[in-house]
Amino acid sequence: MKRLFRTCLLASAMAAGLGLSGPALAADGPGNDDLLNDAKSTGDVLTYGMGPQAQRFSPLDKLNPDTVKGLVPVWSFSFGGEKQRGQESQPLIHDGTIYVTGSYSRLYAVDVKTGQKKWQYDHRLPEGIMPCCDVVNRGAALYKDKIYFATLDARLVALNKDTGKVVWSKKIEDYKAGYSATAAPLIVDGKVITGNSGGEFGIIGMVEARDAETGELVWQRPTIEGNMGTLNGKESTMTGVMNASWSGDLYKTGGGATWLGGTYDPETKTLFFGTGNPAPWNSHLRPGDNLYTSSTLAIDPANGDIKWHYQTTPHDGWDFDGVNELVSFDLKKDGQTIKAGAKADRNGFFYVLDRTNGKLLSASPFVTKITWAKEIDVKTGRPVYNDDNRPGTPVGAEKGTSVFSAPAFLGAKNWMPMAYSPATELFYVPANEWGMDIWNEPITYKKGAAYLGAGFTIKPLYDDYIGALRAIDPKTGKIVWEYKNPAPLWGGVLTTGGNLVFTGTPEGYLKAFDAKSGKEVWKFNTGSGVVGSPVTWEQDGEQYVAVVSGWGGAVPLWGGDVAKLVKDINQGGSLWVFKLPKA
């Protein structure tokens, strides 16, 4: 563990300041209606997830399995310097500019046509930040004349989108207590909605909304039972019921970080945020379900109240964070159309819920080996545990009995976002096949220190592959096709009306597949592992694709035997743009 945090603390290198170029006056940017319409508009990419529901689907069809062979690189932009590491960002495109975040809390504005930098903002990171899982940043949010992003020292920063000048900077929480922030913000009704990171440090997860113009806090909703929310500067309501699922004072250090950010469904006017693992990992120290960890929360964007919740792993003892995105879609089944939401959880099950009330509709395995539970009981919504697959209780100073559990704590699917195609009615899920030796250890809470109470070693399940891109039918839970990859898949997925699915690999490739058959139809090597999320848009009658390249993230830091297998992958830090030229 000490080695891990020494590695992560490289992020404490001071940033190089602020470089400015480009126009002096800010033009009007996207408003609420533009953001809500992002999934249908094709000339830009205005939101993380390519629409608030985060289906990551574009109706563009110039690129298809036949024409994609003509997709060629246009330019590549380097993030520069020695600050490479994991690049997990998704670009935004608006009015001739690409906005993209980089590792170490950096933000760039780049000319779409030329790849020339317009401006760069380097956040000044203090000494002693404690990111658990590399110095990544997953993206920004655009609204009117500003662009917003979260930083590793747990701040939310608003910049003028045309100059890169800081408009306001607000503290989310105390980085010295283990808080950080890596997710792309979400804009809803003039509010910037964010979460927090730091579940491995015994923090309190939360979702908060700030006025997009001023940065002032509107509401805050803790994700651990017993903690009070706020609304307009005053206490509002308690999250859950005090000590209902947490004993004593454990709710004060309960974890449940909302480190992946959220999605928004305009049809039900609901935010969906996933919550992380309970703290510590040692489940014997915290009896009960430990609400609302390892869950999906449906939140009212007006006041932060919880409408409903669904807990995927009650009393989590394997670090199966429930942060993965809930993607809203219309489930057409048995002659009915249901307002549904789907989630590929770290615990290995693919869940379909009624997004109006959180009722479980189905839960199916999307990986080949799940040891911690026999199944998910659809009537109760709860897992049927394999009790002998929970790590043993420590005795005195001695660690508890070790068990081999699958999936590993890095998850059947980790942060990397899946995609949904309304055309094929399939989800495209980046999955990983691995397990872990895991055991519990004695632990006590200390502010700002790792709060795990567990040890582990991750191991691949198969000799020929770890990663698997899988097309899943949400009506049946069945896997329609799969692509197997030697290294873990750690990047996001894009699908299009042209019957294509794009994703990246640690081996450096951006790949395209036939969305119906899974046949690989195109690939390009970017020179470093691709762990970012690709996007597509149309400009001057040509279809473009962009992706960030740069190997890193949690796998090299936490991956155990898997980390050894991928140790020779080159790091990087660059933005690649491709297009299909006019005939």
Side-chain angles (χ1 to χ4, degrees):
M1 288 303 298
K2 290 181 179 178
R3 182 180 179 185
L4 164 68
F5 289 109
R6 283 198 301 268
T7 303
C8 288
L9 288 176
L10 289 173
S12 64
M14 297 302 290
L18 177 65
L20 301 177
S21 62
L25 297 177
D28 290 338
N32 283 316
D33 290 344
D34 299 308
L35 301 182
L36 293 176
N37 194 51
D38 191 32
K40 297 178 181 178
S41 64
T42 58
D44 49 34
V45 178
L46 301 178
T47 60
Y48 186 80
M50 300 180 64
Q53 294 179 321
Q55 292 185 352
R56 297 185 176 273
F57 171 81
S58 169
L60 289 171
D61 59 5
K62 285 186 171 66
L63 280 169
N64 58 54
D66 295 323
T67 63
V68 72
K69 62 180 178 293
L71 186 65
V72 294
V74 180
W75 50 260
S76 177
F77 171 79
S78 172
F79 295 157
E82 298 177 355
K83 296 177 181 177
Q84 297 183 356
R85 305 294 293 270
Q87 310 295 345
E88 295 184 353
S89 182
Q90 179 220 289
L92 301 177
I93 295 92
H94 172 68
D95 194 25
T97 302
I98 296 184
Y99 301 93
V100 62
T101 60
S103 58
Y104 296 91
S105 303
R106 295 173 290 171
L107 179 59
Y108 304 83
V110 183
D111 187 280
V112 167
K113 292 185 177 180
T114 66
Q116 182 178 354
K117 183 174 68 177
K118 294 185 174 182
W119 55 258
Q120 174 180 342
Y121 170 76
D122 290 9
H123 187 69
R124 295 191 178 275
L125 292 169
E127 297 286 343
I129 58 170
M130 291 175 285
C132 94
C133 306
D134 208 358
V135 289
V136 301
N137 188 281
R138 297 186 178 91
L142 270 170
Y143 183 61
K144 295 185 177 178
D145 63 347
K146 299 179 185 64
I147 185 162
Y148 310 82
F149 83 123
T151 65
L152 286 167
D153 59 343
R155 299 190 71 87
L156 183 65
V157 180
L159 308 172
N160 179 285
K161 72 177 181 64
D162 291 319
T163 66
K165 291 182 178 179
V166 176
V167 179
W168 52 257
S169 177
K170 300 293 184 179
K171 178 180 176 181
I172 296 173
E173 256 297 351
D174 181 10
Y175 71 88
K176 295 179 181 178
Y179 288 89
S180 57
T182 56
L186 181 66
I187 308 290
V188 176
D189 296 333
K191 294 186 284 288
V192 190
I193 317 291
T194 55
N196 63 4
S197 304
E200 271 61 60
F201 297 91
I203 56 89
I204 294 297
M206 64 85 192
V207 181
E208 69 174 30
R210 293 180 179 271
D211 183 280
E213 184 64 28
T214 66
E216 294 306 308
L217 188 65
V218 178
W219 56 256
Q220 188 178 80
R221 171 55 52 196
T223 61
I224 302 296
E225 270 193 336
N227 292 279
M228 293 296 299
T230 64
L231 177 64
N232 298 321
K234 299 179 181 179
E235 285 191 344
S236 57
T237 56
M238 180 180 289
T239 299
V241 178
M242 176 77 75
N243 294 138
S245 64
W246 292 88
S247 59
D249 289 341
L250 291 175
Y251 72 95
K252 296 180 180 179
T253 54
T258 49
W259 57 265
L260 195 52
T263 62
Y264 176 64
D265 176 36
E267 295 181 12
T268 60
K269 297 187 184 324
T270 305
L271 295 166
F272 299 113
F273 269 75
T275 63
N277 58 281
W281 291 15
N282 187 335
S283 60
H284 300 282
L285 296 177
R286 42 173 177 77
D289 281 355
N290 308 134
L291 292 173
Y292 291 95
T293 63
S294 301
S295 301
T296 292
L297 303 184
I299 297 175
D300 188 330
N303 56 24
D305 286 348
I306 297 175
K307 295 182 175 183
W308 56 257
H309 80 277
Y310 180 79
Q311 190 171 34
T312 46
T313 314
H315 197 216
D316 178 11
W318 305 269
D319 189 35
F320 290 150
D321 292 37
V323 294
N324 289 354
E325 70 281 8
L326 185 81
V327 177
S328 298
F329 74 109
D330 290 335
L331 176 66
K332 300 173 183 177
K333 186 177 181 180
D334 301 328
Q336 295 181 315
T337 299
I338 301 171
K339 292 184 186 301
K343 177 180 182 178
D345 199 81
R346 269 168 75 158
N347 68 21
F349 288 98
F350 183 86
Y351 295 84
V352 179
L353 306 175
D354 184 323
R355 70 178 188 265
T356 68
N357 57 23
K359 180 183 177 181
L360 178 65
L361 301 177
S362 65
S364 308
F366 67 96
V367 286
T368 62
K369 190 177 182 68
I370 297 175
T371 63
W372 69 277
K374 298 179 180 70
E375 62 180 349
I376 306 299
D377 187 321
V378 177
K379 290 183 179 180
T380 65
R382 295 179 66 87
V384 180
Y385 291 104
N386 284 320
D387 291 330
D388 59 358
N389 201 240
R390 187 179 291 270
T393 306
V395 179
E398 298 297 320
K399 70 179 186 180
T401 303
S402 176
V403 299
F404 182 80
S405 182
F409 73 85
L410 286 179
K413 173 186 170 301
N414 198 276
W415 81 275
M416 51 280 192
M418 62 185 181
Y420 173 73
S421 170
T424 64
E425 298 183 356
L426 298 175
F427 279 87
Y428 302 97
V429 180
N432 287 305
E433 297 280 5
W434 43 24
M436 62 180 172
D437 292 322
I438 182 169
W439 57 91
N440 284 333
E441 300 170 344
I443 188 72
T444 55
Y445 174 76
K446 182 180 178 181
K447 181 179 177 180
Y451 189 44
L452 271 65
F456 41 80
T457 301
I458 293 181
K459 301 177 179 180
L461 294 180
Y462 305 109
D463 294 333
D464 57 338
Y465 79 104
I466 299 174
L469 177 65
R470 290 180 168 136
I472 298 177
D473 185 342
K475 295 184 289 294
T476 64
K478 301 295 185 183
I479 296 172
V480 177
W481 59 257
E482 66 178 1
Y483 156 76
K484 295 179 179 179
N485 194 71
L489 293 181
W490 209 254
V493 182
L494 161 71
T495 187
T496 73
N499 193 35
L500 291 174
V501 177
F502 289 88
T503 197
T505 74
E507 292 88 345
Y509 288 100
L510 177 63
K511 293 191 173 189
F513 303 87
D514 185 301
K516 295 180 180 178
S517 69
K519 178 183 178 182
E520 183 180 311
V521 291
W522 178 87
K523 66 179 179 181
F524 180 88
N525 198 295
T526 65
S528 182
V530 177
V531 295
S533 297
V535 295
T536 189
W537 72 100
E538 188 174 45
Q539 181 176 309
D540 300 328
E542 298 173 312
Q543 188 172 348
Y544 285 72
V545 175
V547 73
V548 174
S549 170
W551 172 240
V555 175
L557 297 174
W558 295 80
D561 290 353
V562 173
K564 297 175 185 176
L565 294 176
V566 296
K567 64 181 176 59
D568 294 327
I569 295 176
N570 289 330
Q571 289 189 331
S574 58
L575 170 66
W576 284 86
V577 173
F578 307 84
K579 76 172 180 179
L580 180 67
K582 292 180 181 178

